[in-house]
Amino acid sequence: MAQFAALLRKDNQPVRYLVVDDSVFARKNLMKMIEMFGGEIAGEAGDGLTAIAEFNRTKPDVVLMDITMPQMEGIEAVERIVRQHADARIVMVSSVGYQENILAALQKGAKHFVQKPVKPEVLYEILRYVLSDDPTAAGAPVALAGEHRS
Amino acid sequence: MNYLPDERAAELRGFFFESAAEVLQALNEAGLELEARPADEEVLRRVRRAVHTLKGDSAACGFSSISEFAHEIEDVLTPQVAQLHGVRLAEVVLAAADAFEALLRACQNQTAPPPLNNILAMARELIAGPVPETSAAKDAVLPAKFAWTEYEHLMIAEAVHRGEAVFNVALRIDPNSLMRAAAFQLVRNVLHAIGTVIALRPEDNIAAATVEIIEAAIATQQTEDKIAARCKIPAIVSETLVSRISEANTPEQELLADLLEAQNVAVSSKVFDPENGDLATQAAGASAAVAAVSDSSLRVDAARIDSVMNLVGELIIGKSMLNRALSELERRHARDPVRAKLADAVAFQTRVLDELHKCVLKIRMVPVEQLFRRLPRVVRDVAKQCGKDVALELSGQNTDLDKGILDALAEPLMHLVRNAVDHGIEPADERVSSGKPARGTVYLNAYHQGTQVVIEVRDDGNGIDLRRVRAHAVQKGLLKAEEAARLSDQDALNLIFESGFSTAEEVTAVSGRGVGMDVVRTVLDRLKGTVNISSLPGRGTTIQLRAPLTLASIQTLLFRIGGRLFAIPLSSVVEITRINERDISRVDQREVLRLREQILTLIRLEHFTKIHAVAGEQPAKTKSFVIVIGAAEKRFGLVVDSLVGEEELVIKALPTEIVSSDLVSGASILGDGTVVLILNVPAVLSRLTRTTPLGAIA
């Protein structure tokens, strides 16, 4: 397995992740990668509602969020988390077939997306990119041209 | 003299197109040589240099489609490939030259670029081993256009004016990205997070599904590096290009900059090369190119020379006005000392004006080589298509002629050369069996003759089969069988220039391009030139194009018919003779004149036009003049009432809605304000042959 330089927060602490997926296997897979990247699992969730609760409880640096889940879909979870925490870094995880959902999630404020099956090197780059942003510089998500924009 | 910034950029672009045409020519020539000597590394280096120059120059002008293509082609041009594939590489080079030409045209006319898949596939095939396509694509300059609308430009200019930093940003969506729309949305999010997005292409997610490159103009507080970093979105964006829109890019600032700086620096500052991010080398390259030219020559828009030319034309009219006034003065006050002074002054002014006129004419003159250079490639291609072996021999390349005429002759000449190879030269076995070398030759020659330039296309083929021409003309209904039989050989040959004499049975992919021989004649008629054809059975065909050296002014002979003033180009006047009515005899319902040993067909202009003795003149004059006109091989006598004299006329084109007749090719104004119509000799002659049957031609 390829070696990855640890991804750290600005204060040199490990990055804390919230992993949201209804498949335990998928969660384990992602968590293994996070360990490889020197990250720390702040919490797990199997559905959108739990994800929101976990987010509020753990205040993670990054959320890895599956798009299709029971109870509450990923998109809605994204919308509700971002509404409360504008600077939340949410990376959508999804198979190719769900482009519409990812598009919607991005419009609701997700920061990035990664295709399933997740390749560690791709996820690593995406996380590095997402973490490198300056939260103060990050603007609000953008709606489509022609749609409402305040 | 207003120097709009656009004009400057356009000027540079114009310079690019011009120099690119030259480079392209060099590429074609080198390609042909490469075909002959595939192993010659020096030739290969020349090909490479040409492609490299195109790459650099096009990039400097922002024509990324060309520079990218050049880059791909450059990859193939290695000695290894040349050794491995030899002639096939030459094929690629020549095909690439064609593709470059099409690309250039597309850029020039701002039309969609031509498809390049074939040639690129050909090129990649040649690259031995698995040279990854992506590496070439990665190195290629990101083809960003930043073609913002006027409104967006205004917004950008305003933002810059407010002191904001505005950047042009281009991103290439990773070709491996399967979710384009989502990717585009993400890019939008990132761009909006960076700053205020002033302009964005594509504009919506639907269009984004098919688009590979996203372009934006963003006003932001962030640094260029920071923007570039934010735009490198992993798994989404494979390539980025960020360039600051400096103040010099906004119109008003650019105007200032243009006045202060050398033109090339301002223009090339717009260019950004992500490959090495090196602006300086490009700017230096561009300025070096400009400098190289400005050393000894100056490139000027032809329109500017034309306006100088027009002014000189007006001066010439002014000159003849002065002369007229002077001769009137002479009549009235012959002894007045002021008259002599004035005469001296006028003479001096005339001399200078003549010199000036000559100089201006010279500016427009270009060597015919510019025309000839394109032809080796034409011969090679056509010969290849017909499976013939044909050589091209050029001479007289240094003959000068007017640029406008040169451009007009390009198409006819191309057609003639194509015809010579396709129809003129026989297949090799046929040539050998008739005792000729297997390889046919097409000769091109150019020379001056009087005030005309002659361009000759000669082939050593089988000549034109007059029986077939006659039969064909009859079959096409151009004339009756007995007329055809009566036709002199020369007239029969000339039939091929008749419109309607389509050589349909011989139309091939090569010559059947919709340009018939009649077009050749039409062009020459328009130029007030002529086409001569001669053909020897079994020996070949020669076609001569004769055109005036310049279109702007001509030496003419002025004469009167029915009280009206006409002019005829002096170049078509062979001689002038005086006749009595009784010298005229009638043959075949037409008037002829025996002049020394020749029988001349007489033309009376009043027969075509409705000039019926205006001022109540006596039509039945016993004595009149005959101007012997030579056009092509024919001689005709034009019967005129009186001769007025020679005059240099500045031709003013006549709008077609004023003069519906093609018998008149232009008009001019004399010094006293009289309007003269200039006869279009070829049209008059062809009208004659149409209204009366041919015959009795010397």
Side-chain angles (χ1 to χ4, degrees):
Chain A
M1 269 255 177
Q3 287 296 310
F4 294 95
L7 285 172
L8 294 176
R9 292 169 19 152
K10 289 211 172 73
D11 55 7
N12 270 336
Q13 295 298 306
V15 178
R16 299 169 63 251
Y17 295 86
L18 171 61
V19 181
V20 187
D21 199 306
D22 57 336
S23 148
V24 182
F25 170 77
R27 287 211 301 271
K28 282 280 169 288
N29 188 30
L30 286 172
M31 275 147 70
K32 240 161 103 189
M33 289 183 204
I34 287 166
E35 270 168 42
M36 275 161 54
F37 305 155
E40 191 184 292
I41 309 298
E44 295 180 50
D47 64 84
L49 271 180
T50 321
I52 294 168
E54 279 298 286
F55 188 94
N56 287 333
R57 185 180 69 81
T58 61
K59 298 282 171 358
D61 297 308
V62 177
V63 183
L64 296 179
M65 172 105 58
D66 185 23
I67 206 118
T68 49
M69 289 179 298
Q71 304 227 26
M72 185 189 284
E73 291 266 10
I75 301 168
E76 199 183 336
V78 169
E79 187 177 9
R80 286 169 65 165
I81 292 171
V82 172
R83 202 184 295 157
Q84 289 178 36
H85 313 276
D87 53 352
R89 302 184 189 94
I90 306 175
V91 174
M92 304 309 290
V93 183
S94 162
S95 339
V96 175
Y98 294 93
Q99 170 154 246
E100 287 306 305
N101 304 31
I102 291 181
L103 221 151
L106 287 169
Q107 283 171 12
K108 304 287 189 227
K111 287 282 181 285
H112 213 306
F113 63 93
V114 59
Q115 285 169 33
K116 277 185 184 175
V118 179
K119 289 183 189 145
E121 62 274 16
V122 174
L123 181 62
Y124 181 81
E125 286 302 320
I126 288 172
L127 289 175
R128 202 167 72 158
Y129 176 82
V130 170
L131 284 165
S132 73
D133 74 341
D134 184 5
T136 54
V142 192
L144 277 171
E147 276 180 35
H148 62 91
R149 254 188 86 188
S150 51
Chain B
M1 296 290 118
N2 50 344
Y3 282 98
L4 293 171
D6 279 0
E7 199 175 82
R8 275 296 171 87
E11 216 170 81
L12 190 74
R13 245 175 268 134
F15 171 60
F16 164 69
F17 285 125
E18 239 174 80
S19 63
E22 281 163 25
V23 174
L24 208 55
Q25 184 55 41
L27 182 61
N28 260 318
E29 282 163 10
L32 286 176
E33 271 185 60
L34 195 66
E35 193 170 45
R37 303 194 301 279
D40 193 330
E41 285 198 18
E42 171 52 31
V43 177
L44 186 67
R45 269 198 292 278
R46 265 170 42 211
V47 171
R48 244 190 111 85
R49 259 201 307 278
V51 174
H52 192 80
T53 309
L54 279 175
K55 181 172 104 173
D57 291 358
S58 57
C61 284
F63 297 125
S64 50
S65 57
I66 301 177
S67 55
E68 259 181 36
F69 177 64
H71 187 87
E72 292 243 1
I73 294 302
E74 231 183 339
D75 286 349
V76 194
L77 302 171
T78 61
Q80 292 78 16
V81 174
Q83 265 160 19
L84 267 171
H85 300 285
V87 179
R88 275 183 65 207
L89 179 61
E91 291 277 344
V92 170
V93 169
L94 292 172
D98 290 342
F100 274 123
E101 197 180 342
L103 277 169
L104 282 167
R105 228 188 348 258
C107 287
Q108 206 161 6
N109 304 335
Q110 292 172 359
T111 52
L116 301 168
N117 306 343
N118 278 349
I119 160 80
L120 285 178
M122 268 167 86
R124 283 172 192 148
E125 230 172 74
L126 293 189
I127 303 177
V131 174
E133 243 174 73
T134 45
S135 81
K138 242 179 221 160
D139 290 349
V141 181
L142 188 60
K145 292 185 281 291
F146 302 120
W148 309 132
T149 64
E150 211 171 306
Y151 176 72
E152 285 161 342
H153 270 303
L154 200 70
M155 300 279 285
I156 292 168
E158 264 182 31
V160 172
H161 199 70
R162 282 196 302 270
E164 288 176 46
V166 182
F167 295 87
N168 272 334
V169 179
L171 309 164
R172 190 196 293 275
I173 299 282
D174 192 327
N176 300 322
S177 166
L178 296 170
M179 294 187 274
R180 289 287 172 94
F184 178 64
Q185 180 61 44
L186 181 51
V187 169
R188 284 166 64 100
N189 285 0
V190 168
L191 291 177
H192 281 274
I194 291 172
T196 312
V197 177
I198 297 175
L200 183 67
R201 296 282 185 290
E203 281 168 341
D204 56 55
N205 291 9
I206 297 134
T210 54
V211 166
E212 210 175 290
I213 292 161
I214 300 172
E215 296 172 31
I218 305 176
T220 177
Q221 307 297 322
Q222 303 196 26
T223 65
E224 197 164 315
D225 289 347
K226 186 79 195 288
I227 299 168
R230 288 313 294 163
C231 288
K232 283 197 190 88
I233 309 170
I236 302 292
V237 171
S238 64
E239 216 182 320
T240 61
L241 161 57
V242 180
S243 68
R244 173 143 188 192
I245 302 177
S246 63
E247 305 215 345
N249 290 109
T250 62
E252 67 226 62
Q253 301 286 351
E254 212 173 78
L255 186 64
L256 247 179
D258 266 4
L259 291 172
L260 297 172
E261 291 173 38
Q263 62 181 55
N264 47 316
V265 179
V267 177
S268 50
S269 71
K270 285 180 199 161
V271 180
F272 186 83
D273 182 2
E275 201 180 337
N276 47 18
D278 191 350
L279 290 171
T281 39
Q282 288 197 357
S287 51
V290 170
V293 169
S294 59
D295 266 353
S296 60
S297 61
L298 184 68
R299 278 172 197 268
V300 184
D301 188 359
R304 292 194 196 168
I305 297 175
D306 283 348
S307 55
V308 175
M309 193 80 145
N310 279 334
L311 292 175
V312 172
E314 299 294 327
L315 276 180
I316 291 173
I317 293 173
K319 174 185 86 175
S320 71
M321 282 163 78
L322 270 178
N323 276 331
R324 220 161 262 271
L326 187 66
S327 53
E328 210 176 305
L329 189 71
E330 213 158 348
R331 272 201 310 277
R332 291 195 201 164
H333 312 283
R335 303 240 175 78
D336 198 325
V338 178
R339 188 206 61 82
K341 271 189 200 161
L342 189 61
D344 282 352
V346 169
F348 174 71
Q349 197 240 20
T350 301
R351 217 166 50 235
V352 175
L353 182 57
D354 284 352
E355 205 55 43
L356 175 65
H357 187 205
K358 269 188 212 140
C359 288
V360 176
L361 284 185
K362 249 183 222 148
I363 295 177
R364 287 189 54 100
M365 295 294 203
V366 285
V368 77
E369 199 207 342
Q370 288 192 6
L371 198 57
F372 281 7
R373 286 169 14 161
R374 308 177 208 171
L375 297 169
R377 178 73 200 276
V378 173
V379 169
R380 177 249 179 212
D381 285 357
V382 177
K384 198 148 193 207
Q385 280 173 48
C386 319
K388 292 175 184 172
D389 190 8
V390 183
L392 178 70
E393 282 194 18
L394 304 175
S395 52
Q397 292 101 313
N398 291 328
T399 312
D400 283 342
L401 80 161
D402 187 279
K403 176 94 170 94
I405 295 176
L406 180 114
D407 290 343
L409 284 179
E411 187 72 13
L413 194 61
M414 201 84 94
H415 182 66
L416 290 178
V417 167
R418 246 188 227 129
N419 255 346
V421 177
D422 189 21
H423 301 314
I425 305 281
E426 323 87 316
D429 45 347
E430 206 175 296
R431 287 178 65 86
V432 172
S433 65
S434 54
K436 292 190 203 176
R439 165 172 258 214
T441 309
V442 174
Y443 302 88
L444 266 176
N445 189 16
Y447 52 92
H448 284 157
Q449 199 174 66
T451 58
Q452 289 186 312
V453 64
V454 183
I455 296 178
E456 227 171 53
V457 182
R458 184 160 64 89
D459 65 65
D460 65 350
N462 207 23
I464 293 169
D465 187 345
L466 283 174
R467 269 178 328 197
R468 267 178 61 205
V469 170
R470 283 197 174 94
H472 192 82
V474 171
Q475 189 196 327
K476 284 272 162 187
L478 290 176
L479 68 177
K480 296 193 191 79
E482 61 268 25
E483 285 171 345
R486 246 187 340 164
L487 227 49
S488 73
D489 285 358
Q490 188 58 52
D491 285 328
L493 267 182
N494 285 334
L495 281 174
I496 67 168
F497 294 114
E498 288 300 321
S499 58
F501 187 90
S502 153
T503 49
E505 56 172 355
E506 310 154 53
V507 163
T508 63
V510 178
S511 302
R513 296 192 186 200
V515 190
M517 290 293 255
D518 59 321
V519 172
V520 175
R521 193 169 70 178
T522 310
V523 170
L524 268 296
D525 280 359
R526 209 181 60 221
L527 294 175
K528 289 172 258 306
T530 54
V531 194
N532 296 358
I533 181 165
S534 63
S535 182
L536 285 172
R539 299 277 297 281
T541 306
T542 304
I543 294 175
Q544 275 189 342
L545 305 180
R546 280 166 186 275
L549 281 177
T550 173
L551 289 175
S553 71
I554 47 169
Q555 284 291 342
T556 59
L557 177 68
L558 296 180
F559 57 87
R560 280 179 197 280
I561 296 175
R564 298 211 186 172
L565 198 56
F566 291 92
I568 184 169
L570 208 54
S571 58
S572 46
V573 174
V574 179
E575 66 172 289
I576 300 167
T577 183
R578 221 179 168 143
I579 56 159
N580 272 319
E581 282 296 315
R582 61 174 188 282
D583 296 336
I584 299 173
S585 34
R586 299 188 82 81
V587 175
D588 256 8
Q589 320 160 349
R590 53 166 83 188
E591 294 176 314
V592 295
L593 171 74
R594 179 184 284 272
L595 182 67
R596 292 186 291 279
E597 292 311 304
Q598 286 189 324
I599 303 290
L600 269 184
T601 307
L602 293 185
I603 311 172
R604 286 181 190 270
L605 216 51
E606 50 267 52
H607 288 176
F608 310 130
T609 56
K610 294 174 185 80
I611 310 167
H612 293 302
V614 200
E617 260 178 65
Q618 277 294 91
K621 277 178 52 177
T622 50
K623 273 192 179 176
S624 48
F625 292 94
V626 169
I627 302 174
V628 181
I629 307 169
E633 296 299 300
K634 299 172 192 165
R635 297 278 180 275
F636 289 89
L638 181 65
V639 185
V640 303
D641 296 338
S642 64
L643 296 167
V644 177
E646 278 179 34
E647 182 95 40
E648 179 170 20
L649 291 186
V650 181
I651 302 173
K652 305 275 172 195
L654 286 170
T656 41
E657 61 267 25
I658 295 180
V659 177
S660 58
S661 169
D662 60 342
L663 296 177
V664 169
S665 62
S668 191
I669 305 169
L670 293 186
D672 61 356
T674 318
V675 173
V676 193
L677 294 179
I678 301 166
L679 280 190
N680 180 358
V681 174
V684 169
L685 295 192
S686 76
R687 182 74 69 90
L688 176 84
T689 52
R690 256 182 286 150
T691 47
T692 47
L694 286 160
I697 292 150

